[in-house]
Amino acid sequence: MAVVTILSAHQLVLPAASLGPENPLAPLHSHQELKSVENLADLPEDLRDNIQYGRLHSTLPCLNQDGYDRSLVDTAFPVLVLENDHLRATVMPSLGGRLYSLVHKSSGQELLYRNPVFQPANLALRNAWFAGGVEWNVGSTGHWTGTCAPLHAARVEGPDGTPVLRLWELERTRNLVTQLDFWLPADAEFLYVGVRLQNPSDTEVPAYWWSNIAVEQSPETRVLVPADQAWRFGYAGADRPDATGRWLDLIGVPDFDGIDLTYPMRHPRAVDFFFEPLAGERPWIASVDAAGHGLAQASTERLRGRKLFVWGESDGGRRWQDWLAPGLEGGGYAEIQAGLARTQLEHLKLPAATSWHWLEAYGRMSVDPALAHSEDWQTARNAGASALRPVVDDLAAREREWLAVVDAAPVEQLAVGSGWGALEVARTGWTISPGTPFADDTMTSRERAWSPLLDGRLPAVDGVPDGTLVAWRELLERAEDNWLVWYHRGVARHCAGEVESAVDAWRRSGDNPWALRNLGLVTGDLSYYERAVELRPDLVPLVAEAVAAALDTDVARAERMLDHAPDDPRIRLLRVRHALQIGNPQTAHELLAEGIQLATVREGANPLTDYWLAAEEALGTNRPVPSRYQFGMGGN
C-alpha cells in the first residue's frame, strides 16, 4: 500500500474556560512591564542595540483579552490534522495556529506537552495566553497578539504532491503578514514548518519571532543544544539579591549555580537561558528523557536563537504550572524555543517591502542514553548532533522545495481568520503574496465599520468603540467631526506621544465613558473616572481601574465607587487593598481567607501574597500564605 499524507478537519473537545469578551478600554500602555536589563552598558554592542530598538508600548489597534474565567466546560475546538505513517500533527487554527500535539505513531509517544485543558492566564501581550504545544510568537517581545485569535487556514498543493496546511494572518501591531506552512512529506519522520514574514509597507519595521515549544519534563529530562555558553536572564534570587531589575549574564554551559542547567527540574527558580550558538554548528535544540528519546527541533540558518525556560521547582513555579494546567500531573513542562535573535529581549530590522523566511523541523530524536546523559557536556551535545545530522543536512534542500510553493494560491479554505488584512489592503494598496490572500469577503461588520473612513467619515453609531486603528491617524484627522472621531483621534495622538493634543481630543469627544476613562487615566483627575463609572457601572475593567486609581490618592472617593461596584474577583481584591489602607486588616484577612480566585493574576506580580502578608503583619499573627496564593517567581 502506498504511503500517503492526509490533511483532515476534526473537532477536539477539551475542558475549557471561556475566553470572554475583549476589554473595550483602549490599551494606552502595555499592561505588562517592559523587561528591563540592568546591565545594558556591559553587553556587546549589537545585543545592546537590538534590545533598545523597536519596543512596543501599546498593543493598539488590538484590544486586551482579559474577560476569561476559570470555569472549565467541555468545549469543541476546530483542529486540522496532518499525518503520515510516522507522525500525526494537530493544529488549532482558532487559537493562533498552535501546534497542539505531535505524536510519533510507531512508539505512541506524544512529543510535545499536550495541555489537557484550555485555561487562559495573564502572560501574553493582550493578557490571555495558554500553555502547551508549539506557539508561534511574532511582532514584539512577549506572547504575540494573535495567540488566542483565529488565523486563516487552507490546503495548498505541496512540492511533492502531498497537501500543505497553510495558516496566515496580519500581525496588526507591526503590519506583518505571517505565514506558516505545515508540510509532512509522505515518507518523512519530521514535520516541516515553513515560516515567512512579509513586510508589505514602504518603511522598515521591528521584527521578532520565537517558536515556543512546550515539552514534558521529569527529573531525568535533559535539554541538548550545540552551545557551550548561554545568556542567563532570571528573576532576582540568591545570586543577585540586591538587583532591582533583571540581568543578562554570559555563563558557561552546563554548570550554573551548583547544578547542571540542562536538566530543567534541577532549577529552584524561574529562569531563561539563551544559548550562544557554536561557530560552524547548525541550529537545533532537543529535550530527551531518561531513555534518550524526545522532541528535536532544527531549522535553517536564519532562525539562530535557542532558549530554555523553566518555571522552577519553588512553590510559586509549581503553582504557576498548576494554574496553567489545572489538575497537573507528573513533572509538568519546560519550554525549549527557537528565535530570530540571540535573546527574546531583541527586535531586528526588517526592511521595507522585504520578506524573511526559514524552515523548521520537528520530530522524534533517539540518542544512546549513556551519551545523552554523559557528565561530559561535549559528549552529550555531540551525540545529539550526530543523531540529528541526517535531518539537519537535508534542511536546505527541503527549504528550496518548500519555496517552490510558498506563493502558491490556496486550493481549499479550511478556516477563516480576521478581515483586518483585507481592510489594510483596501487602505494601502499593498502587494501581498497570492499565497496569503486577504479577500474582501473575510471582512465582518467589525472591519466594515471602518470602511467609510476611507471616504472621509466615520459614523458615530451608539455603542462601544473598537480598538483605534492608530495607523489610520491621517484619515481620522481629516474626517468629519463627531464624538467617535474625536475619541479615536485622541487615542491615535496619544499613541504618537502627543499627550496634550490627545487630552484636547477626548474633551471634545464629550460625555461618554470611553473618552472620560482615557482622561482619568492620563490626567489623574478622578472626576473623569467617577463620571465614566456613573455611565457604565457594570463594566468591571473600568470600575476596577477607577477604584485602583482612587486608592492611590483619595480613599473616600474609592469607597464611594466600591459601594456600588459589581461583584468580581478584581473588585474583591480592591476591597482587600482598601481594608488594609484604612487600617482594617481583619476585614482584609477575612476576605482573603474566603478565597479570591483572580483569573488575571500576572506573571511576576503577586498581590494575593503581598496582601496576605500585610494583613498578618498588621494583626501580629503569622499564618502561612495559602498555597493557592503563591505565585512568586523568585524564592528557593
Side-chain angles (χ1 to χ4, degrees):
M1 184 176 178
V3 178
V4 296
T5 299
I6 299 171
L7 173 59
S8 55
H10 302 269
Q11 295 285 317
L12 173 66
V13 177
L14 294 174
S18 169
L19 191 57
E22 291 181 328
N23 185 337
L25 304 182
L28 300 181
H29 307 287
S30 173
H31 78 281
Q32 292 187 326
E33 295 86 358
L34 292 171
K35 292 182 177 179
S36 61
V37 180
E38 197 165 322
N39 61 327
L40 199 61
D42 302 329
L43 302 179
E45 183 178 2
D46 64 330
L47 180 55
R48 181 173 65 248
D49 290 347
N50 289 343
I51 291 173
Q52 293 177 311
Y53 168 71
R55 286 191 168 196
L56 189 73
H57 295 276
S58 169
T59 58
L60 286 165
C62 300
L63 295 172
N64 285 333
Q65 296 175 301
D66 59 7
Y68 51 87
D69 57 28
R70 294 193 63 83
S71 298
L72 300 180
V73 177
D74 283 351
T75 305
F77 294 92
V79 296
L80 299 168
V81 176
L82 193 64
E83 66 179 310
N84 64 7
D85 280 359
H86 303 291
L87 290 173
R88 181 170 63 251
T90 302
V91 177
M92 306 181 79
S94 65
L95 291 171
R98 185 75 59 103
L99 178 58
Y100 175 74
S101 168
L102 186 63
V103 175
H104 184 254
K105 294 171 77 171
S106 63
S107 67
Q109 183 179 7
E110 171 61 69
L111 299 177
L112 301 172
Y113 171 68
R114 183 170 57 190
N115 197 334
V117 305
F118 171 71
Q119 177 57 69
N122 187 359
L123 279 84
L125 289 169
R126 296 174 65 193
N127 190 310
W129 181 83
F130 67 105
V134 184
E135 176 195 24
W136 320 102
N137 289 303
V138 58
S140 307
T141 305
H143 297 284
W144 77 301
T145 56
T147 198
C148 286
L151 273 62
H152 300 281
R155 181 174 65 86
V156 175
E157 293 295 338
D160 56 353
T162 60
V164 167
L165 169 58
R166 175 168 298 163
L167 291 93
W168 72 98
E169 187 52 276
L170 179 70
E171 198 294 311
R172 300 177 66 204
T173 64
R174 305 295 197 189
N175 277 339
L176 288 176
V177 179
T178 304
Q179 175 180 344
L180 288 157
D181 283 1
F182 296 84
W183 176 34
L184 186 58
D187 61 345
E189 296 188 31
F190 273 67
L191 171 70
Y192 298 100
V193 183
V195 183
R196 180 167 63 167
L197 302 181
Q198 301 174 55
N199 174 14
S201 73
D202 58 2
T203 59
E204 169 195 286
V205 297
Y208 174 93
W209 180 279
W210 281 81
S211 301
N212 181 5
I213 309 153
V215 289
E216 288 192 9
Q217 64 179 10
S218 71
E220 295 79 28
T221 298
R222 191 178 204 185
V223 172
L224 302 176
V225 62
D228 288 336
Q229 291 181 303
W231 292 96
R232 176 262 191 191
F233 188 63
Y235 295 84
D239 53 336
R240 289 194 184 276
D242 299 324
T244 56
R246 295 176 70 180
W247 291 65
L248 268 176
D249 296 310
L250 188 61
I251 63 170
V253 175
D255 298 321
F256 167 72
D257 203 20
I259 62 170
D260 184 328
L261 69 85
T262 64
Y263 287 88
M265 290 192 72
R266 296 185 184 180
H267 294 275
R269 299 181 298 275
V271 63
D272 299 317
F273 295 103
F274 300 102
F275 296 103
E276 276 286 286
L278 283 171
E281 291 280 351
R282 307 284 182 81
W284 61 270
I285 192 167
S287 173
V288 297
D289 59 20
H293 305 302
L295 177 88
Q297 187 271 0
S299 70
T300 47
E301 295 297 328
R302 186 177 289 281
L303 203 68
R304 61 175 299 206
R306 292 299 186 275
K307 174 193 171 184
L308 166 64
F309 166 76
V310 297
W311 284 106
E313 297 305 301
S314 68
D315 290 341
R318 298 304 298 175
R319 176 61 173 143
W320 264 110
Q321 295 216 44
D322 183 67
W323 187 250
L324 293 164
L328 180 75
E329 296 180 357
Y333 75 94
E335 293 174 3
I336 57 175
Q337 305 186 23
L340 282 175
R342 282 184 293 183
T343 75
Q344 287 178 327
L345 310 174
E346 303 169 74
H347 297 97
L348 304 182
K349 297 177 180 179
L350 178 53
T354 299
S355 295
W356 285 349
H357 65 262
W358 61 89
L359 189 70
E360 303 183 40
Y362 293 82
R364 188 175 192 249
M365 183 171 80
S366 293
V367 184
D368 181 335
L371 300 177
H373 295 278
S374 172
E375 292 185 4
D376 181 73
W377 171 242
Q378 185 173 345
T379 296
R381 63 170 172 74
N382 284 346
S386 295
L388 270 182
R389 185 161 292 119
V391 175
V392 172
D393 287 349
D394 193 40
L395 272 175
R398 291 287 192 182
E399 184 178 41
R400 288 192 294 270
E401 289 182 78
W402 164 60
L403 289 174
V405 301
V406 73
D407 290 310
V411 173
E412 177 188 7
Q413 191 84 19
L414 299 173
V416 178
S418 79
W420 296 117
L423 185 65
E424 278 302 303
V425 170
R427 177 180 73 93
T428 62
W430 285 333
T431 298
I432 304 292
S433 165
T436 54
F438 294 116
D440 286 347
D441 62 7
T442 62
M443 283 195 282
T444 66
S445 59
R446 184 176 185 182
E447 293 93 3
R448 292 190 186 282
W450 288 90
S451 295
L453 191 54
L454 297 173
D455 297 319
R457 58 189 181 85
L458 188 65
V461 296
D462 292 334
V464 181
D466 206 338
T468 302
L469 302 186
V470 292
W472 292 42
R473 180 180 172 183
E474 290 187 10
L475 291 172
L476 285 166
E477 295 291 357
R478 296 198 301 265
E480 297 175 4
D481 293 346
N482 60 48
W483 77 265
L484 184 61
V485 169
W486 278 115
Y487 166 80
H488 285 306
R489 282 175 185 159
V491 175
R493 291 174 183 181
H494 187 275
C495 190
E498 300 171 15
V499 177
E500 291 185 7
S501 180
V503 167
D504 177 67
W506 290 324
R507 285 173 175 156
R508 290 170 179 259
S509 182
D511 189 39
N512 65 81
W514 322 110
L516 290 165
R517 173 266 180 176
N518 292 350
L519 286 167
L521 178 64
V522 172
T523 69
D525 186 338
L526 293 178
S527 63
Y528 291 121
Y529 265 133
E530 288 172 319
R531 177 57 180 159
V533 169
E534 183 180 343
L535 293 170
R536 284 299 305 267
D538 59 317
L539 187 58
V540 172
L542 171 62
V543 177
E545 186 178 287
V547 171
L551 286 172
D552 287 338
T553 57
D554 193 329
V555 174
R557 296 171 88 165
E559 286 178 352
R560 288 196 291 272
M561 286 188 280
L562 278 172
D563 285 342
H564 305 287
D567 184 31
D568 183 89
R570 287 164 286 187
I571 302 298
R572 288 198 290 276
L573 187 69
L574 289 167
R575 294 189 189 280
V576 173
R577 179 183 166 188
H578 169 256
L580 290 171
Q581 285 188 215
I582 64 172
N584 189 353
Q586 183 60 38
T587 295
H589 169 75
E590 290 171 359
L591 288 167
L592 287 167
E594 288 175 7
I596 298 176
Q597 193 175 62
L598 187 66
T600 55
V601 64
R602 190 173 70 247
E603 178 187 8
N606 200 8
L608 293 160
T609 287
D610 293 342
Y611 293 164
W612 182 279
L613 293 174
E616 291 301 301
E617 181 179 4
L619 291 168
T621 52
N622 192 30
R623 286 164 287 201
V625 179
S627 60
R628 65 182 183 274
Y629 291 161
Q630 293 179 6
F631 290 94
M633 297 295 287
N636 294 303

